[in-house]
Amino acid sequence: MIEVKDLHKSYGRQGKVNALNSISFTVDDGEIFGVIGPDGAGKSSLFRILASLILPDSGSAIMNGHDVVKDYRKIRQIIGYMPGRFSLYQDLSVEENLVFFATLFNTTVEENYHLIKDIYQQIEPFKKRRAGALSGGMKQKLALSCALIHKPEILILDEPTTGVDPVSRKEFWDMLGRLKEQGITILVSTAYMDEASRCDRIALIREGEFIANDTPQGIIDDYPEILWAVEGTGMSALLGELRAHDKVKSSFAFGDKIHITVEKSLQTEELKRYLANKKFNDVRIAPIAPTVEDCFMALTS
Ligand SMILES: Nc1ncnc2c1ncn2[C@@H]1O[C@H](COP(=O)(O)OP(=O)(O)OP(=O)(O)O)[C@@H](O)[C@H]1O
């Protein structure tokens, strides 16, 4: 279990950059807990504290009964940490990287092969290749294998899928699901809101604060707005006209559609007429169910 209480972290002289501001949460054993938010929100700072790599200014974090500050040696044994930026030795081969990490933890690849088999088998044909010459998806599989080789109780994965193609991203999340089934507690951060649904619980983080912490469905159920999707040609001009309408509360581009929140009194036909007057004749407007990204936008606007 992970128990984080009132964690604060700032950087620079006189604490000029406030990276974390009173973060508290718990993660149950065998749970996948996602921390979701944009760049600079504080995800890496939080994960580095939990991995015992940097110190918090105040507050506490207990991982399976061990304090990240006082018991840092024990923490490093029980966690597997995959940092955001590629952590492996580029000039060592796939196999050499794995052996290196196993040796660091006084174990062997053979001893814990069963833990990584599923993942490692996919890169094993390239085991003589330099890590630096692997594709993004393969690097990520090797990094996860290295983070798992000492049989950690808790995995801390900092933006593991950033820059990875959609197929590899899906495969990666499938693997996390299987690790969870083996009882490993997983803390994972991401800037991709679509990955939220793969977590048991998520925290939305913004400017060093958790602005929501619930199951993905719980966060969606709390969405307070009326949400419509608008489709048409000339997206940026359309966005401008929507923003100018006094009953449109917010609007943002979402793939090839525009998501808008509106006042209760606005009808879709009324908005269609307004847009037709502005020479947008082919516009489609439909009420839609919110995604986690819509919730994030509503909470931050
Ligand atoms: N070593 C540091 N010195 C000064 N400021 C820092 C340092 N590390 C992080 N920050 C600042 O703290 C804030 C939180 O950064 P952090 O890296 O924790 O966020 P993040 O959500 O992981 O974003 P990213 O994905 O961009 O790393 C940002 O404003 C960042 O610029």
Side-chain angles (χ1 to χ4, degrees):
M1 184 175 188
I2 303 173
E3 296 160 277
V4 174
K5 207 166 169 202
D6 207 14
L7 221 48
H8 286 257
K9 177 71 191 173
S10 54
Y11 296 102
R13 282 200 204 113
Q14 286 121 25
K16 265 192 216 121
V17 182
N18 216 359
L20 297 176
N21 194 10
S22 193
I23 297 282
S24 299
F25 65 101
T26 58
V27 182
D28 291 331
D29 291 342
E31 200 175 24
I32 301 184
F33 188 90
V35 178
I36 301 182
D39 287 346
K43 303 181 296 295
S44 299
S45 300
L46 173 62
F47 282 19
R48 283 189 200 126
I49 291 171
L50 299 183
S52 81
L53 297 174
I54 59 171
L55 294 170
D57 297 342
S58 61
S60 67
I62 311 290
M63 314 269 277
N64 283 2
H66 308 288
D67 185 295
V68 293
V69 178
K70 287 191 218 115
D71 311 322
Y72 68 92
R73 283 201 177 86
K74 184 70 187 168
I75 291 288
R76 290 170 193 181
Q77 284 166 16
I78 65 159
I79 65 154
Y81 173 58
M82 193 171 146
R85 277 157 211 89
F86 189 44
S87 56
L88 304 166
Y89 291 91
Q90 312 278 329
D91 289 330
L92 294 185
S93 70
V94 167
E95 195 175 34
E96 286 164 343
N97 265 288
L98 196 58
V99 170
F100 174 77
F101 280 92
T103 313
L104 269 188
F105 287 97
N106 225 355
T107 182
T108 61
V109 175
E110 293 71 35
E111 198 171 316
N112 290 322
Y113 187 75
H114 63 283
L115 262 181
I116 60 159
K117 190 173 159 227
D118 207 24
I119 307 155
Y120 188 63
Q121 268 180 345
Q122 300 174 38
I123 48 171
E124 216 164 7
F126 314 98
K127 65 183 181 187
K128 300 289 176 204
R129 189 181 285 184
R130 272 191 332 109
L134 296 173
S135 71
M138 286 199 276
K139 280 179 179 170
Q140 173 217 39
K141 281 171 191 154
L142 177 57
L144 182 60
S145 301
C146 291
L148 277 169
I149 198 61
H150 63 291
K151 209 176 173 202
E153 297 166 16
I154 298 173
L155 260 186
I156 301 177
L157 311 172
D158 193 2
E159 299 199 28
T161 54
T162 297
V164 173
D165 66 87
V167 176
S168 298
R169 282 214 282 146
K170 189 189 168 297
E171 279 177 11
F172 189 82
W173 277 94
D174 291 344
M175 282 186 282
L176 295 191
R178 291 193 288 272
L179 292 171
K180 169 195 156 79
E181 279 166 21
Q182 296 176 37
I184 297 178
T185 306
I186 301 171
L187 195 59
V188 54
S189 70
T190 180
Y192 299 120
M193 305 270 169
D194 61 309
E195 294 185 342
S197 63
R198 308 293 304 253
C199 302
D200 296 312
R201 276 191 305 137
I202 53 172
L204 299 180
I205 186 170
R206 177 188 176 235
E207 292 175 5
E209 289 184 27
F210 278 4
I211 51 173
N213 174 1
D214 203 340
T215 60
Q217 193 55 51
I219 285 181
I220 287 169
D221 289 346
D222 282 347
Y223 188 73
E225 303 290 346
I226 299 167
L227 184 69
W228 295 350
V230 181
E231 276 179 277
T233 42
M235 285 276 277
S236 65
L238 187 54
L239 199 56
E241 296 300 348
L242 287 166
R243 284 186 177 154
H245 194 289
D246 60 359
K247 288 184 184 169
V248 174
K249 292 161 74 180
S250 73
S251 53
F252 72 100
F254 199 102
D256 57 353
K257 298 189 176 82
I258 297 171
H259 284 194
I260 60 172
T261 61
V262 298
E263 301 279 354
K264 246 193 204 142
S265 60
L266 185 64
Q267 303 295 316
T268 51
E269 286 312 311
E270 185 185 340
L271 188 60
K272 265 190 194 162
R273 276 197 303 277
Y274 162 83
L275 291 171
N277 280 334
K278 309 276 180 190
K279 309 245 176 319
F280 290 98
N281 295 306
D282 60 343
V283 173
R284 290 171 299 286
I285 304 174
I288 50 160
T291 64
V292 168
E293 188 160 6
D294 292 304
C295 299
F296 189 87
M297 298 306 277
L299 286 162
T300 54
S301 62

